[in-house]
């Protein structure tokens, strides 16, 4: 991440409509996000996460993909992705996940990645399945949007070889 990513990061992190699928439940100040960008080392072993901005062919940032909950001991991490409204269903998520899978395999030498996807998010389920992820356990009433609880699936891929990465 670069300082110029602050505005997009601010918009995404403070979009209350997607808070229920992550762990964020309060807005972040610009100062807090600026400080995060300034102090993130970009090293997954130091920060236990890595966040990468997704740019289109014109150099415009269209989203964020990250690896979080990194466990060096178990060689796994959780993958998360957010694509801006108006930029969805254009192939950016597919391309970004492919790249971060290659990074996880080739650079960090992870054994597996997983994503937690709400059962009613068929677009994301299809995306992860198309990239070789398989559906694992169903986490009952895993997310809460303020009104209702929703089940979520653990989508998982083992990064054993190039074939497993689509």
């Amino acid at each position: 991440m670069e300082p110029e990513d602050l505005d997009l990061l601010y918009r995404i992190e403070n979009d209350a409509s997607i808070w229920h699928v992550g762990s964020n439940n309060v807005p972040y100040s610009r100062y807090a996000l600026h400080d995060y960008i300034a102090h993130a080392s970009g090293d997954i072993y130091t920060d236990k996460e890595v966040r990468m901005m997704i740019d289109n062919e014109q150099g415009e940032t269209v989203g964020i993909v990250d690896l979080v909950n990194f466990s060096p001991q178990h060689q796994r991490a959780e993958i998360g992705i957010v694509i801006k409204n108006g930029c969805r269903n254009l192939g950016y998520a597919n391309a970004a996940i492919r790249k971060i899978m290659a990074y996880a395999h080739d650079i960090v030498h992870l054994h597996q990645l997983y994503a937690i996807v709400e059962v009613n998010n068929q677009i994301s389920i299809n995306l992860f399945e198309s990239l070789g992820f398989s559906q694992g356990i169903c986490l009952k009433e895993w997310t809460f949007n303020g009104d209702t609880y929703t089940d979520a699936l653990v989508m998982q891929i083992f990064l054993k070889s190039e074939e497993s990465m689509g």
Side-chain angles (χ1 to χ4, degrees):
M1 289 186 303
E2 301 291 339
E4 345 16 282
D5 297 322
L6 178 61
D7 288 337
L8 176 64
L9 186 61
Y10 181 81
R11 283 193 307 276
I12 288 174
E13 292 291 350
N14 291 308
D15 182 353
S17 71
I18 60 174
W19 283 353
H20 69 281
V21 296
S23 58
N24 188 24
N25 63 0
V26 295
Y28 287 102
S29 69
R30 283 186 181 281
Y31 177 80
L33 293 173
H34 180 272
D35 192 54
Y36 170 77
I37 291 171
H39 291 97
S41 71
D43 178 5
I44 194 167
Y45 287 94
T46 300
D47 299 336
K48 301 295 183 243
E49 67 180 23
V50 66
R51 178 171 277 179
M52 298 179 187
M53 307 310 283
I54 304 166
D55 292 344
N56 65 14
E57 299 80 17
Q58 293 75 38
E60 302 162 329
T61 303
V62 298
I64 301 171
V65 64
D66 54 18
L67 297 176
V68 297
N69 297 322
F70 169 59
S71 172
Q73 176 184 4
H74 301 294
Q75 297 177 304
R76 68 175 175 242
E78 179 180 350
I79 187 170
I81 188 163
V82 176
I83 303 293
K84 289 185 343 185
N85 286 330
C87 297
R88 295 178 180 157
N89 300 312
L90 299 174
Y92 297 122
N94 185 299
I97 292 171
R98 283 182 186 277
K99 286 191 182 233
I100 207 160
M101 286 171 61
Y103 167 81
H105 179 264
D106 300 340
I107 306 300
V108 187
H109 308 291
L110 294 184
H111 173 63
Q112 63 180 295
L113 294 175
Y114 67 94
I116 298 175
V117 181
E118 288 186 332
V119 295
N120 57 4
N121 187 345
Q122 195 60 50
I123 291 172
S124 290
I125 292 169
N126 292 345
L127 169 66
F128 282 106
E129 285 181 338
S130 76
L131 293 166
F133 284 71
S134 59
Q135 292 184 26
I137 63 169
C138 180
L139 303 167
K140 297 295 185 184
E141 299 183 3
W142 193 253
T143 60
F144 182 66
N145 68 7
D147 294 318
T148 58
Y149 290 94
T150 303
D151 295 350
L153 297 171
V154 176
M155 308 280 303
Q156 184 179 31
I157 190 168
F158 294 96
L159 304 175
K160 298 176 192 165
S161 64
E162 290 298 320
E163 299 88 51
S164 70
M165 295 191 299

